[in-house]
Amino acid sequence: MLAEVRRGLRPLDWLAAALLALGLLSMATGVLPRATAADAMERVLPLLVFLGSVIVLAELTGRAQVFDTVATRVARAGRGSYVLLFVLCAAFASVVTITLNLDTTAVLLTPVMLALATRLGIAAVPLAMTTVWLANTASLLLPVSNLTNLLAADRVALSPTGMAAVMWAPQLVSIAVTMVCLWFFYWRPAYRDRLGYTPPPPPTTDDPVLFRVCALACGGFLLAILLADVPLWSASLTAALVVVVAFAVRRKEELTFSLMPWRLLVLVPGMFLVVESVNAHGLHSLLTAAMGSDDGIGGMLRAAAVGAGLSNWLNNLPVYLAGEAAVPVGNEGQLLALLIGVNAGSVITPWASLATLLWFERCRRHGTAIEPVRFLGTGLVLAVSATLAATATLALVI
């Protein structure tokens, strides 16, 4: 039995277990002060509840054919034009990321894009890359758009409308740069064997009851985030419970332990503990020296570069936490530039953001292969160009 479990483990599973073990060892030996660990876990617990519940919600919603239906309607709206389809997909991904959350986008929208490719008989990678890139680069506008923004809410001291008033221009620039990179690297005619596609017929569903319940649950999740002052984890957990109950009544056999993203639930706390351990023993001093104390364009560019660079080595959530402590109190421009770096710049490595990890999980389940070298190379171009352009724009408007 143990041997079978070991054979079923993937490299990321071993990495997640190793990080958690290393983090727990740091706590046990005193390398990481218990008070610091407790503070980190207090901040990460709501994120874990959100991640677990939203992935269950997405998986069951996909099985209820909600994503297939949305994908079909998007394809019909494109009327057979690849250019129009590209614009619609980019706009859809940007709006969902801004209004929901980048991790929600990675979970809920990726199956839409992959189902769309399957239904149209076209390559899945361009649509998948549209999702993952815009999940990161379109997450600058609102506190709810990104978990790093939520972590920064107290420090930035901006309301959603206040943050939007400051970040709207950097957000537009970031999306524009992303669309240019998407078209050049993945969507342009050189990568297609056809000039268009045949719009599919109107969608149908196997179980209309499950379809309606799951669609309403996702819609309720969206409304709760936009209109009600409720935490992300509470909204996603409630929506997931509604969908689980519906499946328990209609298709109980679909409810298995494999629905839970165990790997991510182990990886995230381990990652936080390890980074906090490193931060307590030198990382804070290095970050302080690297970013400096200048709140002008020079300091903003340094903060953005440090955030983007370290996010792709580690992960943007713990890097933001470590970087936040190194930004002098009152340096709003530098802190917002750090957010740009850890959000728009975290598109090079698969582990740079939780959204990208979630996206890889969805692509793996769909059977879509992502070429590592191409992913890293094109992501590097996007990270540098989007981070630089958005930060420079921020310096002009702040």
Side-chain angles (χ1 to χ4, degrees), residues 114 117-118 123-125 128 359-360 362-370:
L114 296 178
T118 300
V125 172
W359 173 80
F360 264 103
R362 305 305 296 179
C363 290
R364 183 186 65 81
R365 292 195 180 193
H366 182 264
T368 299
I370 306 299

Side-chain angles (χ1 to χ4, degrees), residues 123-368:
V125 172
L127 287 89
M129 292 303 300
T130 300
T131 303
V132 70
W133 276 4
L134 285 167
N136 288 285
T137 63
S139 65
L140 306 175
L141 191 65
L142 299 173
V144 73
S145 304
N146 198 311
L147 295 180
T148 56
N149 299 359
L150 290 173
L151 291 171
D154 293 337
R155 179 75 180 271
V156 176
L158 290 174
S159 66
T161 54
M163 187 171 184
V166 175
M167 297 298 288
W168 69 269
Q171 180 64 96
L172 286 179
V173 169
S174 180
I175 291 173
V177 171
T178 305
M179 290 183 68
V180 170
C181 289
L182 279 169
W183 181 261
F184 183 79
F185 289 126
Y186 292 99
W187 280 84
R188 62 191 172 108
Y191 294 113
R192 300 196 304 266
D193 56 0
R194 291 181 293 171
L195 296 179
Y197 64 92
T198 302
T204 59
T205 57
D206 296 334
D207 191 328
V209 174
L210 274 181
F211 173 85
R212 294 190 187 96
V213 170
C214 292
L216 287 173
C218 290
F221 174 49
L222 174 60
L223 290 176
I225 296 303
L226 293 178
L227 304 179
D229 186 19
V230 296
L232 266 179
W233 67 266
S234 177
S236 62
L237 182 60
T238 301
L241 289 175
V242 170
V243 170
V244 166
V245 170
F247 268 83
V249 174
R250 306 286 295 185
R251 293 194 331 227
K252 187 177 181 180
E253 68 279 3
E254 302 262 8
L255 300 177
T256 63
F257 284 108
S258 63
L259 288 172
M260 289 296 294
W262 302 110
R263 176 195 304 161
L264 293 176
L265 298 182
V266 171
L267 176 67
V268 173
M271 187 166 48
F272 267 72
L273 290 174
V274 169
V275 172
E276 286 292 344
S277 301
V278 177
N279 192 44
H281 293 274
L283 180 59
H284 176 76
S285 299
L286 290 175
L287 287 174
T288 301
M291 291 193 290
S293 58
D294 178 19
D295 201 31
I297 186 170
M300 293 167 65
L301 288 172
R302 288 172 66 176
V306 169
L310 280 182
S311 291
N312 286 288
W313 279 103
L314 302 171
N315 178 272
N316 66 345
L317 281 174
V319 165
Y320 171 76
L321 284 175
E324 179 190 70
V327 173
V329 176
N331 283 17
E332 182 180 290
Q334 214 178 7
L335 189 67
L336 292 175
L338 175 65
L339 281 176
I340 290 176
V342 299
N343 293 348
S346 58
V347 292
I348 303 175
T349 58
W351 56 83
S353 74
L354 289 177
T356 307
L357 286 172
L358 293 170
W359 173 80
F360 264 103
E361 183 75 14
R362 305 305 296 179
C363 290
R364 183 186 65 81
R365 292 195 180 193
H366 182 264
T368 299

